[in-house]
Amino acid sequence: MKFKELRKKKGFDKQQDLAKACGIKQTTLSKWERGKARPKLDTIKKLAEILQVSVDEIVECF
């Protein structure tokens, strides 16, 4: 599953909403979804907590 699909599946229709919840810029999240960058491990852990999935599931998106 792509990260964008996971984000939307978990109720974050807008990048801005998840970015705010995670404490990052929307442009950073956009880069992740376009494959231009990857989140750091501490951010992956935070994303997993916010999206209520395993760290492995987040890593598989990238």
Side-chain angles (χ1 to χ4, degrees), residues 7-25:
R7 171 177 57 82
K8 289 186 174 195
K9 179 181 173 184
K10 294 297 184 172
F12 290 91
D13 294 325
K14 296 180 181 180
Q15 289 178 342
Q16 187 175 12
D17 296 336
L18 181 56
K20 185 176 180 180
C22 196
I24 59 169
K25 294 181 180 180

Side-chain angles (χ1 to χ4, degrees), residues 2-62:
K2 292 185 177 185
F3 186 71
K4 181 178 182 178
E5 294 169 356
L6 178 63
R7 171 177 57 82
K8 289 186 174 195
K9 179 181 173 184
K10 294 297 184 172
F12 290 91
D13 294 325
K14 296 180 181 180
Q15 289 178 342
Q16 187 175 12
D17 296 336
L18 181 56
K20 185 176 180 180
C22 196
I24 59 169
K25 294 181 180 180
Q26 182 269 330
T27 54
T28 300
L29 192 82
S30 176
K31 287 178 184 177
W32 297 345
E33 289 187 0
R34 291 182 290 124
K36 302 293 182 184
R38 292 185 178 175
K40 294 180 180 179
L41 182 57
D42 60 329
T43 306
I44 289 173
K45 290 177 182 177
K46 193 170 191 177
L47 286 168
E49 184 179 319
I50 292 168
L51 296 175
Q52 298 178 340
V53 297
S54 69
V55 169
D56 288 341
E57 193 168 347
I58 298 290
V59 171
E60 288 174 7
C61 291
F62 299 102

